[in-house]
Amino acid sequence: PYSPPIAADGLVPRNKFGNVDLYLMSMLPVGCVWIDDDVAWRAANDLGIDYAAACVRFAFSGRFAVPNLKGIVVCAEFEGAILRRTA
């Protein structure tokens, strides 16, 4: 069974490409939330909050697999601040 990584000190655990693999909701790192908003990254960046793009699936084009990034993953304690900023 897969056990997702644990967020610590307000930092989101990432893969080697700098994003979070989120094919199933059970893959969400412990202590984090997924914000499915196209401009949430801008709010997180303005507020100085650590975030990572969420890779939800891959699109296959010829011989290449292109990641489909949708929304961001942040630590749960920052969710309210980002949602207020994007509203």
Side-chain angles (χ1 to χ4, degrees):
Y2 176 78
S3 66
I6 300 171
D9 300 326
L11 300 176
V12 178
R14 296 168 169 75
N15 63 16
K16 66 180 181 177
F17 301 106
N19 54 36
V20 174
D21 293 325
L22 194 61
Y23 312 122
L24 300 170
M25 288 309 293
S26 61
M27 295 179 75
L28 187 66
V30 176
C32 292
V33 293
W34 176 46
I35 301 176
D36 185 13
D37 188 351
D38 293 333
V39 295
W41 66 271
R42 188 172 295 167
N45 198 23
D46 289 345
L47 295 170
I49 296 171
D50 184 57
Y51 69 94
C55 178
V56 295
R57 68 177 154 256
F58 282 91
F60 296 95
S61 175
R63 294 185 300 170
F64 301 102
V66 179
N68 187 350
L69 304 176
K70 186 174 181 187
I72 63 171
V73 176
V74 296
C75 289
E77 61 261 22
F78 302 122
E79 179 183 19
I82 292 175
L83 292 178
R84 282 191 300 275
R85 182 74 177 226
T86 59

